[in-house]
Amino acid sequence: AVVSTQSTGGIHHQGTIHLNSETTDMVDAAFTDACKGKPSERPIMEMTIPSVVDQTLAPPGHHVASLFIQYVPYAPADGPWNEEKKDKFVKKVFSQVDEYAPGFSDSVVGYDALAPPDLE
């Protein structure tokens, strides 16, 4: 995702940020959902903001945020991944990022979503 911001970020933005993983129960629930062939209701998210370290990755006033989502089924039980299903999942993920960083969704100016089959 490319996000618009006035901040250059701080040292605390230079590492990996883990969301929806505060308890082992949260991790287990996400894994269990994936085993049942459904995208998790509360997926485990790993977020990085590489443009904090390398400002050439995004235009001035913007950042690149990369989210790696854990325990997403390769083949969902309700049918294969398509653009509509990916967009719905992205909206769910972004809304949960908003719980940790209010306004995140509104700051996104573009994104590219890759489902597990897209990564092959």
Side-chain angles (χ1 to χ4, degrees), residues 6-102:
Q6 298 304 311
S7 171
T8 58
I11 194 161
H12 58 285
H13 294 113
Q14 294 180 7
T16 302
I17 302 161
H18 293 88
L19 308 175
N20 286 348
S21 59
E22 292 85 354
T23 69
T24 55
D25 287 341
M26 292 174 84
V27 175
D28 184 61
F31 175 75
T32 300
D33 284 344
C35 288
K36 293 177 182 175
K38 69 177 201 165
S40 178
E41 290 301 314
R42 303 262 333 151
I44 305 303
M45 296 181 256
E46 295 179 43
M47 177 186 229
T48 61
I49 310 170
S51 53
V52 169
V53 178
D54 182 355
Q55 295 178 1
T56 66
L57 296 174
H62 292 78
H63 279 287
V64 173
S66 178
L67 288 100
F68 181 77
I69 311 303
Q70 295 281 352
Y71 308 126
V72 177
Y74 182 90
D78 65 349
W81 288 99
N82 57 36
E83 292 306 310
E84 180 181 340
K85 193 175 291 189
K86 286 193 282 188
D87 287 340
K88 182 178 176 184
F89 189 66
V90 165
K91 286 184 174 97
K92 179 191 300 187
V93 167
F94 286 0
S95 73
Q96 290 178 25
V97 174
D98 282 335
E99 294 174 21
Y100 295 88

